[in-house]
Amino acid sequence: MKKYLVVLLLSFASLINATEFSVYEANYPTVKDYNVNLDEATLVIRPLGNYVEFNLYVTVSYDFKSWFFKNYNELEFKWLFNLPSDAILHEFWYWEGDSIISANVMDKWTAELLFSEISSPLRNPGLLTQSSISKDGQVAHELRIFPVKRNEKRRFKIQYLLPCRPTGNGMRVWLPMNQLISDRTSGLNKLKILYKYENEPYAPTIIGTSLISSSDNTKLAAWEIEIPIEKDQFVELEMPSPIKKDIFLSTYSEGKDNFYQLAVNPPTIPISKTPRNILFVIDFNRFNTSNLDGDFLLSYLKESLQQSLSPADSINIVAAYDNTIWGSDKWVSCTKDELDKLFQKIMMRSFPSYNNLVPLINESVSFLNKQNKLAEVLFLTNTSTINLDRTSQLSLADEIVKKFKPGTKLHFMDLYNSGYLYYNNGYYETQMQSFYGQMSYPTFGNLFFLRYNTLKQMLYSFLYESISHFESVEVQLNFADGYAHSKHFIASHEGYYPLGTPILQIGKFDGKFPVDVNVFGKYRTTTSNYKVTITEDQVQKGNAQIATAWYGYHIQSLLKLPYDPITVSDIISLSIKQNILTPYSGFLILNTNENHGYCTNCKDESGGYNTDVKNESAKDSTLSLEASAYPNPFNPVTTIKYKLPVDGTVKLNIYNLLGENISQLVDLEQQAGTYTSTFNGYRLASGIYIMVLNLDGKSKHYRVTQKLILMK
């Protein structure tokens, strides 16, 4: 049996914990107090086939007697947190006394404008936005609430869908633990979980922590669980797979659209791969790599191992924290249970701010030399430098190679992605490239760079052998009278589809049942397939979340396209119509019974939804401020026509998506009537701009906001 030792030298930087809770006076956002009380957190989990619906309820308050804030009773609260890129956030709720207020979705610029008391006569209580996806597959979110008063609790809820990960005979999801832990705030000590079940009571398996309590609440049709919340905690929830007899199919219809979600086992093929022994040696410097968090690395590493390796393979882990921690003193079979034990021991710690490259090399050599069979070694390291000149570095590399048994392959994944490239012998290289190459090339190893690849690409290319995965998979649905279309793979493996791991798909269809499901898997020059016929009585009835999941995946596919004003406009429109958060939109909690100049989900004359921002007066619907731009899109000139219902001060401004004032077209006292103004964007770049028209009448303020698209 051939042995592989994978030494993960993880010395890279997650700059700090990405989660932050703080309060500040709204006019001084940089002066923060992190002594926020997290009073309670409850997570309601609802399995939905290929997805899990997370409902996270959080209650916060502030009573710290800060000297700087002693004269302020109304402060602004901010919560910064990360979610995986495939999370689909589609609800934000806010409690105001006994009232529960649902957030409205609008373009991000308008949402931020209406939330800010500086640019609006109204001060709305809540705003939730997100950033673009980072290279490590995480999306930063920012939630702001105003006001937070001393000794008054504020409660809110976010709801998002997360695709499941097939593992063995079940499905798994990571629980949002790091989102509730901050380095600067003491936080909670426990999380309440309600796992909703539909039929028979089911107690999900919690992996990575102990249970405080667990019981069946038949009145709520939910399993009640309490778990501790601790720093550097990685907790998974395991549920049964929805697949019964090779396939799971659930459908939902919305208007003329029919949606489906599908989970199906791949074809079976004979496995003829060489078993592997893999040791992960982890040297994690949390300050050395930008845009890569340690929690993401460890969780994704575990997920990749679960999918790529089999019980015939063996692993072990050694990690450098303040002390060196071994997962085991011997090789461990790569089963689901053994992986859980190994990673639970390694994960529950904080990584240091320094590297341990040489000590870990010595420990890995000591372990390998006690083994009877050869292994392969993989170093994941973000070591930025070794304090030796180049000649001494190469001599050290030669000495390290000699320490390992002859025939041991040494691979390196350089995770240090900062700094400059250095010119050496006619080409540019990273700081450590020659050092790593001096060890990997003579031993027939590989050298990977995070600077040029994603972590997923590097791990997949190393872990998947040529026969241990399908190079491509395809699922064809042939309806009796129709077809399936607009399909998306869930949790796609980017060209590496593990054997024995269910294929998850979501899409649309037209037609009637029965449907023939053909499943194909291609590896090398061979294609394997099988067919299953599904009748209507075998199809499970789905709910609206299937449509939400499809639109979420569709929006995520649009976000991967090159920047284009029309694409961004489509993303914003879909976001508003489907109530899904994107980097170009925001959830805004509006004050009740007030005129905000924004109509959400208002049907226009054609019966469709009008997502433009316009004034709607609750007190007098006969008086409204109207504005339009033609042409729109335009190049480079558009004419803005507006109608004033009353006399007053008129201000017409154009902003970019950063909120910068590009042009002030009107600032005049005008009488009721119709006017025009011209906006010329010949000096501006193509993109989306925002027209904001304000009218201050004698008794009321009016506002119209509209997107302008400049296309050159």
Side-chain angles (χ1 to χ4, degrees):
M1 178 186 295
K2 189 176 181 181
K3 303 287 181 179
Y4 294 78
L5 170 70
V6 180
V7 178
L8 275 135
L9 266 156
L10 306 177
S11 153
F12 47 76
S14 64
L15 298 177
I16 56 172
N17 191 323
T19 303
E20 180 182 292
F21 300 92
S22 64
V23 294
Y24 49 87
E25 205 283 320
N27 291 317
Y28 303 97
T30 59
V31 182
K32 299 179 181 180
D33 189 348
Y34 302 99
N35 294 287
V36 178
N37 300 322
L38 299 182
D39 299 295
E40 186 179 10
T42 300
L43 183 64
V44 179
I45 299 173
R46 195 185 310 271
L48 299 169
N50 294 341
Y51 286 86
V52 168
E53 177 190 279
F54 284 137
N55 296 269
L56 181 59
Y57 298 79
V58 180
T59 303
V60 298
S61 62
Y62 177 75
D63 56 14
F64 187 72
K65 310 232 181 290
S66 166
W67 174 85
F68 187 83
F69 296 131
K70 65 180 181 180
N71 296 322
Y72 300 102
N73 189 44
E74 294 188 348
L75 298 171
E76 185 165 300
F77 165 79
K78 181 184 289 187
W79 177 29
L80 301 176
F81 61 97
N82 282 346
L83 288 177
S85 60
D86 50 6
I88 302 168
L89 201 158
H90 63 102
E91 291 286 351
F92 170 36
W93 296 77
Y94 173 76
W95 276 253
E96 184 66 62
D98 294 331
S99 300
I100 304 174
I101 308 172
S102 175
N104 295 273
V105 181
M106 57 190 76
D107 65 86
K108 189 173 184 176
W109 186 90
T110 302
E112 291 177 337
L113 187 71
L114 291 177
F115 178 79
S116 172
E117 64 178 359
I118 297 173
S119 58
S120 170
L122 303 171
R123 183 62 169 162
N124 291 293
L127 176 69
L128 176 60
T129 58
Q130 69 174 215
S131 67
S132 298
I133 180 175
S134 68
K135 192 175 181 181
D136 68 352
Q138 300 289 293
V139 176
H141 292 72
E142 178 182 279
L143 185 147
R144 296 160 65 187
I145 289 177
F146 179 89
V148 173
K149 300 179 181 180
R150 281 183 173 81
N151 303 313
E152 284 190 13
K153 295 184 178 182
R154 287 286 179 260
R155 191 183 191 210
F156 54 85
K157 182 192 86 168
I158 62 170
Q159 183 182 102
Y160 62 95
L161 299 176
L162 196 64
C164 299
R165 304 184 342 264
T167 306
N169 296 321
M171 296 281 195
R172 290 190 180 188
V173 287
W174 293 96
L175 299 186
M177 309 304 296
N178 288 329
Q179 289 79 356
L180 300 172
I181 289 289
S182 172
D183 291 331
R184 298 174 174 178
T185 302
S186 57
L188 293 164
N189 57 13
K190 66 179 180 180
L191 173 66
K192 299 178 181 178
I193 299 174
L194 283 177
Y195 179 84
K196 303 288 288 184
Y197 53 80
E198 292 186 358
N199 301 315
E200 297 180 2
Y202 175 77
T205 302
I206 301 294
I207 300 164
T209 188
S210 58
L211 296 180
I212 298 175
S213 64
S214 178
S215 62
D216 181 20
N217 188 327
T218 55
K219 293 182 179 180
L220 296 177
W223 203 275
E224 288 188 311
I225 302 170
E226 284 191 348
I227 61 175
I229 298 179
E230 302 171 280
K231 193 174 180 181
D232 302 307
Q233 191 177 26
F234 303 83
V235 180
E236 293 176 279
L237 179 140
E238 185 173 38
M239 309 157 291
S241 170
I243 297 178
K244 308 298 181 186
K245 296 182 179 179
D246 290 328
I247 196 165
F248 160 77
L249 182 63
S250 177
T251 62
Y252 172 77
S253 296
E254 184 177 87
K256 297 180 180 180
D257 292 324
N258 301 310
F259 301 88
Y260 74 88
Q261 60 169 330
L262 173 77
V264 59
N265 288 320
T268 57
I269 61 171
I271 299 177
S272 57
K273 68 169 188 171
T274 303
R276 311 177 73 172
N277 279 5
I278 305 177
L279 172 69
F280 296 89
V281 181
I282 305 176
D283 182 27
F284 187 101
N285 180 337
R286 67 181 185 273
F287 294 107
N288 265 16
T289 300
S290 59
N291 298 321
L292 184 60
D293 290 336
D295 57 347
F296 173 80
L297 174 83
L298 290 176
S299 60
Y300 193 78
L301 175 61
K302 181 180 179 182
E303 178 182 339
S304 299
L305 292 174
Q306 289 170 336
Q307 294 167 343
S308 61
L309 301 183
S310 70
D313 303 304
S314 297
I315 64 169
N316 198 358
I317 302 176
V318 59
Y321 297 98
D322 291 336
N323 299 310
T324 300
I325 304 297
W326 281 85
S328 175
D329 59 357
K330 60 183 179 180
W331 296 113
V332 174
S333 177
C334 191
T335 64
K336 181 177 63 174
D337 292 340
E338 293 296 343
L339 273 173
D340 290 337
K341 293 177 184 177
L342 223 55
F343 273 88
Q344 183 170 354
K345 187 173 182 180
I346 295 299
M347 283 175 149
M348 291 292 293
R349 294 173 179 16
S350 296
F351 286 107
S353 58
Y354 49 84
N355 292 93
N356 289 278
L357 176 57
V358 175
L360 282 175
I361 288 176
N362 291 330
E363 293 228 19
S364 63
V365 168
S366 177
F367 175 83
L368 279 179
N369 288 343
K370 296 176 183 178
Q371 310 306 312
N372 296 326
K373 298 182 180 180
L374 289 178
E376 195 165 344
V377 185
L378 172 65
F379 296 88
L380 272 93
T381 172
N382 69 345
T383 301
S384 58
T385 185
I386 291 181
N387 294 322
L388 297 171
D389 58 55
R390 185 168 297 274
T391 301
S392 300
Q393 282 186 16
L394 299 182
S395 297
L396 175 60
D398 292 336
E399 293 177 11
I400 291 172
V401 171
K402 294 176 182 178
K403 290 183 177 181
F404 289 95
K405 285 183 177 181
T408 302
K409 291 184 179 180
L410 304 181
H411 304 272
F412 288 85
M413 290 187 183
D414 186 353
L415 301 181
Y416 183 69
N417 59 3
S418 304
Y420 299 98
L421 294 174
Y422 296 85
Y423 189 77
N424 180 38
N425 295 328
Y427 63 94
Y428 288 92
E429 63 177 33
T430 64
Q431 173 80 7
M432 301 292 292
Q433 185 168 341
S434 290
F435 180 67
Y436 299 148
Q438 192 75 5
M439 291 180 281
S440 61
Y441 299 149
T443 61
F444 302 97
N446 295 306
L447 181 54
F448 307 90
F449 299 94
L450 187 62
R451 181 187 295 266
Y452 308 118
N453 305 282
T454 66
L455 178 64
K456 293 181 179 181
Q457 291 170 336
M458 294 191 298
L459 286 176
Y460 285 158
S461 62
F462 178 79
L463 290 173
Y464 288 105
E465 292 184 351
S466 59
I467 307 297
S468 66
H469 69 278
F470 292 110
E471 297 168 8
S472 62
V473 294
E474 176 62 27
V475 181
Q476 298 177 356
L477 280 71
N478 300 315
F479 287 85
D481 181 21
Y483 55 93
H485 60 96
S486 307
K487 298 180 288 187
H488 299 282
F489 281 119
I490 300 170
S492 173
H493 300 284
E494 301 176 11
Y496 299 93
Y497 298 90
L499 302 179
T501 300
I503 303 165
L504 309 184
Q505 192 180 82
I506 194 164
K508 292 183 175 182
F509 72 94
D510 292 300
K512 299 178 181 179
F513 291 92
V515 57
D516 291 331
V517 181
N518 293 280
V519 185
F520 296 87
K522 181 180 181 299
Y523 65 101
R524 290 189 175 180
T525 59
T526 303
T527 300
S528 180
N529 69 289
Y530 70 91
K531 183 175 75 172
V532 178
T533 299
I534 303 297
T535 58
E536 191 166 4
D537 62 321
Q538 295 174 294
V539 178
Q540 296 191 27
K541 185 179 180 180
N543 58 24
Q545 299 293 46
I546 297 180
T548 299
W550 185 89
Y551 281 110
Y553 254 76
H554 181 62
I555 289 173
Q556 290 171 7
S557 67
L558 293 178
L559 289 169
K560 295 177 182 178
L561 298 175
Y563 176 84
D564 177 83
I566 299 299
T567 302
V568 173
S569 180
D570 289 342
I571 292 171
I572 294 174
S573 297
L574 277 174
S575 170
I576 294 172
K577 185 175 180 180
Q578 301 301 326
N579 218 57
I580 295 173
L581 189 63
T582 75
Y584 300 106
S585 58
F587 275 115
L588 181 66
I589 298 291
L590 298 171
N591 285 311
T592 57
N593 301 320
E594 291 185 1
N595 171 30
H596 299 85
Y598 184 81
C599 179
T600 180
N601 292 338
C602 298
K603 287 191 175 181
D604 59 23
E605 295 178 357
S606 66
Y609 285 94
N610 181 4
T611 59
D612 286 340
V613 180
K614 60 182 180 181
N615 185 75
E616 297 288 344
S617 173
K619 295 182 179 179
D620 189 353
S621 60
T622 63
L623 296 179
S624 63
L625 180 64
E626 300 176 5
S628 61
Y630 184 83
N632 189 22
F634 66 98
N635 179 25
V637 178
T638 186
T639 299
I640 299 170
K641 183 179 180 180
Y642 58 95
K643 183 179 180 180
L644 307 180
V646 297
D647 301 347
T649 302
V650 179
K651 293 184 178 181
L652 177 59
N653 294 281
I654 307 297
Y655 297 84
N656 62 18
L657 286 176
L658 297 177
E660 299 168 336
N661 194 336
I662 300 301
S663 176
Q664 184 171 59
L665 302 179
V666 178
D667 186 4
L668 296 170
E669 293 286 335
Q670 293 182 326
Q671 297 179 343
T674 302
Y675 300 85
T676 60
S677 181
T678 300
F679 173 53
N680 193 327
Y682 76 97
R683 292 184 177 179
L684 301 175
S686 297
I688 295 179
Y689 297 88
I690 308 297
M691 176 198 75
V692 179
L693 176 63
N694 285 284
L695 169 61
D696 279 320
K698 291 183 179 180
S699 60
K700 191 170 63 173
H701 179 86
Y702 301 81
R703 177 202 302 272
V704 170
T705 304
Q706 183 175 340
K707 298 187 293 290
L708 305 177
I709 301 176
L710 174 59
M711 295 186 62
K712 292 186 176 181

